[in-house]
Every structure is written in C-alpha cells, then in structure tokens.
Amino acid sequence: MNAKHLRETLRGLADPVIAEHSQRFFKTGKGEYGEGDRFLGVRVPVLRREAKRHHGISIKQLLRLLHSRYHEERLCALLVMVLKYQRGSEEEKAAIYQHYLENTGYINNWDLVDSSAHLILGAHLEDREKGVLYRLAGSENLWERRIAIMSTLHFIKNQAYEDTLKLSLILLEDSHDLIHKAVGWMLREVGNRAPKVERAFLNRHYRRMPRIMLRYAIEKFPEKERKAYLNGRL
C-alpha cells in the first residue's frame, strides 16, 4: 500500500463536474485565496472512506501525496495523518506533529486546515508549551494564521479557553475574512460551553471586531442581544 495506489484510486473516482464546481467554490481564480489550486472532483465522504482504507501508508509516502498539485490528494493525505496520529505511539505522534509544521505550505486552503489543525497540532499541544501557535498567528501566510486559531478547537473541547481568547485578540484586526470567520467561529465554540467567558471577551472588544467576525461569534445569541451587539448599543 503506497501513495501511488491511493493516487490511482482517487483519480479513478474523479468527477469533472464536481471538480468544476470545486474550482469555483474554493476560489481558485487569479487573485483569489485558492489561486491555482486544482481539483479531481472527489467528495469529502469518499476521501474519508479512502483514508480509512489506506491508513497503513507510511508517513514518507503520505508526504509525497501531501505535496500533490491536486487538492483532494492533499486533503486525503492529511486525513490519513490524522488517523495515524490518533492511533500512534508518542514517538509517532511527535513525528507527525513535526511533519505537519514543516509542511504548512501544502496545507493551503480552509478545509485542509479545518480538517487537521485541531486534531494534530491542537491535540499535540494540549499539555505542552503553545508558543508555536503564537508564531503561526504572526505569520504573513494566511493559512498558518488560520492553523493557529483552528488548532485551539481541541483546547475548547476540553474546556480550556485562554489560548483561543489570546489568539483571537492577536487576530482581531486581521485583514482577511477567512481569519475573521475562523476567529468568530472559535469564539462561538467558547460561548457554547462558557457563555460568560465569550460575552466578557465580546464586551471588551466587539466594537473593534470586523463585522463578519462578530456575526459568527454571536450567531446563536438571542435576536435582541444579537442586534444590540451589531448596533453597538451594549
């Protein structure tokens, strides 16, 4: 079982109609965030199925797949890496974590980040020093900044919110709406578990927050409260 076999399997499942739709959906045009990305046309449930079937592929082989020009091959490689991380020894987990950090240049769209960051980086850093996330948050690379905030979903699920709030503050005035959405989403996840924690953060900073970030953060608030935040009347 190797990357070549998985690549051949995915290309046999390719659908040009789905590929064309994905090219538009993931903004691959000139000047867009996914500029130049290429798609085979394989849906995510199929990729997850094939990742499970091919979980025995070596890390060396997976890295070859992660370097593919095709989006689905990169995503499938990351899905297998997640499975290997979850099932691996401490030594194997440490190696996967390091490979992930060394290959962020290929984790270059929001779905690639969102399917893997919290499950590898977040999981690995749970009981470790988290300075790497702050370094990523300060990166010029959009996807590294998204990796930073999305990694904290693992902490949130374990009722630890401090790093999410600190990183949200760092990214509060980020220039890209994909960061606005990610930060707002993570704040909403905090609020789902600790409403007072989220509201305390919002009450201090909501006037500075980009509109879309605020909308994501307060999506589940009662309508009256949501309007008060949006109208700046708190």
Side-chain angles (χ1 to χ4, degrees):
M1 190 179 296
N2 54 36
K4 181 180 178 182
H5 180 266
L6 180 50
R7 181 177 287 116
E8 290 173 350
T9 299
L10 295 180
R11 294 187 184 189
L13 295 166
D15 184 327
V17 175
I18 296 174
E20 184 179 358
H21 174 267
S22 295
Q23 294 283 152
R24 297 191 302 270
F25 183 75
F26 286 97
K27 308 296 184 186
T28 62
K30 186 172 178 60
E32 296 182 308
Y33 63 74
E35 180 177 354
D37 207 353
R38 301 180 66 175
F39 288 79
L40 294 169
V42 185
R43 296 194 185 281
V44 173
V46 177
L47 294 175
R48 291 190 180 279
R49 182 191 72 198
E50 295 304 324
K52 290 179 181 178
R53 289 179 175 176
H54 293 81
H55 70 272
I57 294 178
S58 70
I59 285 295
K60 183 177 180 179
Q61 291 286 320
L62 283 176
L63 292 177
R64 291 180 183 177
L65 198 65
L66 183 59
H67 294 179
S68 172
R69 60 181 176 172
Y70 287 104
H71 187 102
E72 292 95 338
E73 291 182 356
R74 300 197 304 280
L75 177 54
C76 199
L78 289 166
L79 294 174
V80 178
M81 287 176 70
V82 167
L83 292 174
K84 293 180 83 68
Y85 183 90
Q86 292 171 337
R87 301 172 183 180
S89 66
E90 288 304 310
E91 183 178 357
E92 289 167 334
K93 288 179 177 181
I96 291 169
Y97 164 81
Q98 194 60 43
H99 286 308
Y100 191 95
L101 284 177
E102 291 172 354
N103 287 276
T104 54
Y106 300 96
I107 307 169
N108 56 354
N109 216 311
W110 57 264
D111 62 322
L112 305 181
V113 173
D114 298 358
S115 298
S116 61
H118 65 294
L119 296 167
I120 296 178
L121 261 60
H124 199 72
L125 295 172
E126 181 177 357
D127 298 317
R128 294 178 171 89
E129 198 275 327
K130 298 173 177 60
V132 63
L133 297 184
Y134 293 85
R135 176 179 64 78
L136 292 171
S139 172
E140 293 184 1
N141 182 291
L142 162 65
W143 306 116
E144 290 190 342
R145 301 197 305 276
R146 187 162 175 122
I147 286 170
I149 189 64
M150 289 304 303
S151 293
T152 71
L153 180 57
H154 179 85
F155 312 150
I156 295 169
K157 289 181 176 181
N158 288 281
Q159 290 78 52
Y161 313 120
E162 181 180 1
D163 290 291
T164 301
L165 300 180
K166 287 181 177 179
L167 288 164
S168 294
L169 190 56
I170 290 170
L171 296 169
L172 201 67
E173 297 178 356
D174 196 276
S175 62
H176 205 289
D177 68 342
L178 286 175
I179 301 300
H180 303 168
K181 292 175 181 178
V183 171
W185 175 13
M186 290 303 100
L187 290 173
R188 185 175 74 235
E189 290 292 336
V190 170
N192 288 343
R193 296 160 178 82
K196 291 182 180 179
V197 173
E198 183 191 11
R199 282 174 170 82
F201 181 90
L202 292 177
N203 291 345
R204 287 194 299 272
H205 305 295
Y206 81 96
R207 288 184 175 86
R208 293 172 51 206
M209 293 172 71
R211 197 75 166 175
I212 194 166
M213 184 188 293
L214 180 58
R215 285 187 179 277
Y216 268 61
I218 64 175
E219 183 179 10
K220 295 185 178 181
F221 284 18
E223 183 177 0
K224 183 177 180 181
E225 186 179 14
R226 193 166 62 248
K227 287 182 176 179
Y229 274 107
L230 291 172
N231 294 328
R233 295 176 179 170
L234 285 177

